[in-house]
Amino acid sequence: MNIRPLAIAAAALFAAAGTAQAKQLLCVWDVAGKSGDVFNMAIDYSVAMQKAAGVDFELKSYVDERVAVEDFRAGQCDGVIATAFRIKPFNGVSTSMDSIGSATIVRNNKIDLPASYDVVRKVIQVFASPAGGKLMVEGNYEIGGIFPLGAAYPIVRDRTWNSVEALSGKKIAAFDYDKAQGAMIQRIGAQPVSVDVTNIGPRFNNGFVDMVTLPAVAYKPLELYKGIGSKGGIGRFPVMIPTVQMAFNRSKLPEGFGEKSRTFWFNQFDRAMGLINNAEKGIPAATWDDLPAENVPKYVLMLRESRIDIAKQGMYNKQALNIMKKARCSVNPSDAECASKNEID
């Protein structure tokens, strides 16, 4: 029996097996775990990237984004999906779009929320474009996509605290890994209390903090209605529009992957908006509280002044703030701020 052809075939088979592309590990944070909307979007993303870029992702679910990001930093994950607050160490430009008030559009003393989301869409589109791609790279890390989590509103245990002055001395939750939040809270004379996504809900519901700033998508998963009770409420004044971002290790993924990845997530913007709108509609109408119209321009100006001051302290990327301003002025060119080119030099 001539075994030479068999040996050659076996060697070829083993060689092919050895060169087969291993799966890349993508660590995915979702407050609801594998049943959450973010994880479901990540499943569709993994399918799309296999077709578009030949990258086969294995998804690992996390409910604690700190652990997800630390696993990514340690090299256990090739990519990670988490809030921009946690992604900040890997890219200061993309994550600074989550700066306070930077997407807010005001018309006739009212927040124009659809226009504010249009600002976010335009900036994500810039970052997803070939020209904007270079801004998404810092060292060995690259941002592979961004999508909105929803406008973050002030949620209080007592709705009579419906002014900045009334919040003086109150305990307000601040993510300990986002120093800008603590700086803003101290600026209005309140007391920042350190929290993370795993305990912000219980601390509010149990009265350890008087106020949290969160998007509507957190209302049900964190059971915030318990802390709101019959006296509290949600101020219809978005302090910021936080995002979820995907970061990856450039050495672990093929050249050109980032642009394909960012394009996928940009195309999910309307899907994300559907989830946000459904979450907001799911909150009882009586829970919402509109601020006095005369206070809105004053508070937006306060956010702008705070944002610039925080940027000067190095907590926000100045180039990102100028990009955000250009987007605001493209949406609302008649605003007085558009008389100057940059928000900060």
Side-chain angles (χ1 to χ4, degrees):
M1 179 179 179
N2 187 354
I3 62 170
R4 182 174 174 78
L6 293 176
I8 293 173
L13 181 63
F14 283 119
T19 58
Q21 187 174 0
K23 285 195 173 188
Q24 311 298 131
L25 185 61
L26 179 61
C27 296
V28 182
W29 164 80
D30 190 313
V31 70
K34 290 184 177 180
S35 64
D37 294 321
V38 174
F39 194 84
N40 284 330
M41 292 173 78
I43 292 173
D44 294 342
Y45 169 69
S46 66
V47 173
M49 287 303 98
Q50 191 168 15
K51 294 178 180 177
V55 175
D56 190 6
F57 277 118
E58 177 184 348
L59 305 183
K60 185 176 181 181
S61 173
Y62 293 77
V63 293
D64 186 340
E65 62 174 348
R66 178 189 63 82
V67 179
V69 170
E70 285 305 315
D71 281 358
F72 172 64
R73 193 195 302 271
Q76 296 180 35
C77 313
D78 304 309
V80 64
I81 295 176
T83 64
F85 299 130
R86 285 291 189 186
I87 298 295
K88 192 171 185 176
F90 310 111
N91 193 290
V93 176
S94 69
T95 55
S96 289
M97 67 180 295
D98 286 35
S99 49
I100 52 175
S102 62
T104 305
I105 297 294
V106 178
R107 291 192 175 107
N108 300 320
N109 289 0
K110 292 183 179 179
I111 300 292
D112 188 333
L113 198 54
S116 300
Y117 279 119
D118 197 22
V119 172
V120 177
R121 182 197 295 268
K122 286 177 177 291
V123 174
I124 294 176
Q125 185 174 24
V126 168
F127 291 160
S129 70
K134 61 184 180 181
L135 298 175
M136 298 297 94
V137 177
E138 276 192 21
N140 200 39
Y141 299 108
E142 185 169 348
I143 298 301
I146 306 168
F147 62 93
L149 195 56
Y153 301 101
I155 304 173
V156 294
R157 292 176 58 83
D158 188 331
R159 65 170 56 226
T160 63
W161 306 332
N162 65 347
S163 69
V164 169
E165 294 76 14
L167 291 172
S168 179
K170 300 296 186 294
K171 295 179 179 180
I172 301 178
F175 291 125
D176 55 6
Y177 41 89
D178 180 33
K179 302 304 180 186
Q181 288 190 26
M184 177 64 195
I185 292 167
Q186 289 177 327
R187 189 182 178 95
I188 65 172
Q191 178 183 344
V193 177
S194 178
V195 298
D196 61 36
V197 293
T198 64
N199 62 26
I200 187 171
R203 290 202 170 190
F204 176 70
N205 294 338
N206 294 326
F208 289 106
V209 295
D210 301 310
M211 177 183 132
V212 294
T213 305
L214 290 168
V217 293
Y219 178 79
K220 288 182 179 178
L222 300 183
E223 301 179 326
L224 298 177
Y225 44 85
K226 292 182 178 179
I228 294 171
S230 59
K231 293 178 60 180
I234 302 176
R236 207 185 294 270
F237 181 85
V239 177
M240 65 179 70
I241 300 181
T243 61
V244 171
Q245 303 195 7
M246 185 268 183
F248 65 90
N249 186 323
R250 300 181 72 214
S251 67
K252 301 290 184 69
L253 291 161
E255 187 73 24
F257 171 80
E259 187 175 330
K260 294 174 182 176
S261 178
R262 290 188 292 273
T263 298
F264 171 87
W265 286 112
F266 173 65
N267 289 335
Q268 300 303 301
F269 190 93
D270 288 337
R271 177 180 177 184
M273 287 305 306
L275 298 172
I276 292 165
N277 290 332
N278 287 339
E280 295 201 355
K281 290 175 183 176
I283 297 175
T287 301
W288 295 96
D289 187 28
D290 290 310
L291 300 184
E294 62 271 18
N295 286 344
V296 172
K298 177 176 69 174
Y299 291 162
V300 170
L301 178 60
M302 179 191 70
L303 292 181
R304 181 174 183 271
E305 291 173 346
S306 299
R307 183 170 65 247
I308 292 173
D309 183 55
I310 290 169
K312 289 178 179 178
Q313 297 177 49
M315 298 182 207
Y316 292 145
N317 180 278
K318 295 180 181 180
Q319 185 177 12
L321 295 195
N322 289 337
I323 291 171
M324 294 295 293
K325 178 178 178 178
K326 288 178 182 177
R328 288 196 305 274
C329 289
S330 72
V331 173
N332 190 28
S334 62
D335 194 286
E337 71 162 333
C338 300
S340 62
K341 181 179 179 181
N342 292 332
E343 176 155 281
I344 183 171
D345 294 317

